[in-house]
Amino acid sequence: MSQVANCPSCGSKSKIKEKDGQIIYEAIQDEEVFKKVAQLKKAMEKFKEKAESLEKELEALTTNK
């Protein structure tokens, strides 16, 4: 994941890159933010489905004893 900080010249949220010992600030665009949020939502949905599946499996194992 990229490092994010406030740009010293304009104050906006920016990605930080270091090139040849110089720090470069690149403004974060709204499109990038929406894309990252969508990726996080997909990942959370997959995690939620897996957790629910494991809970059902655990419940089945505990009731069979």
Side-chain angles (χ1 to χ4, degrees):
M1 195 168 243
S2 303
Q3 287 186 316
V4 178
N6 289 333
C7 176
S9 59
C10 68
S12 68
K13 295 286 183 191
S14 303
K15 289 189 273 183
I16 299 173
K17 293 182 181 179
E18 191 169 339
K19 188 174 184 180
D20 299 327
Q22 228 178 359
I23 297 176
I24 300 169
Y25 293 89
E26 185 180 317
I28 297 175
Q29 304 297 319
D30 287 341
E31 301 163 5
E32 294 177 73
V33 174
F34 291 133
K35 189 185 294 185
K36 288 290 182 186
V37 168
Q39 288 174 346
L40 287 171
K41 282 183 178 181
K42 283 182 184 178
M44 288 299 294
E45 189 61 36
K46 284 182 182 179
F47 176 77
K48 182 180 174 186
E49 289 172 3
K50 189 171 184 176
E52 288 172 353
S53 169
L54 289 171
E55 285 178 352
K56 288 178 185 176
E57 187 178 334
L58 178 62
E59 186 177 322
L61 289 172
T62 55
T63 56
N64 288 339
K65 288 185 175 180

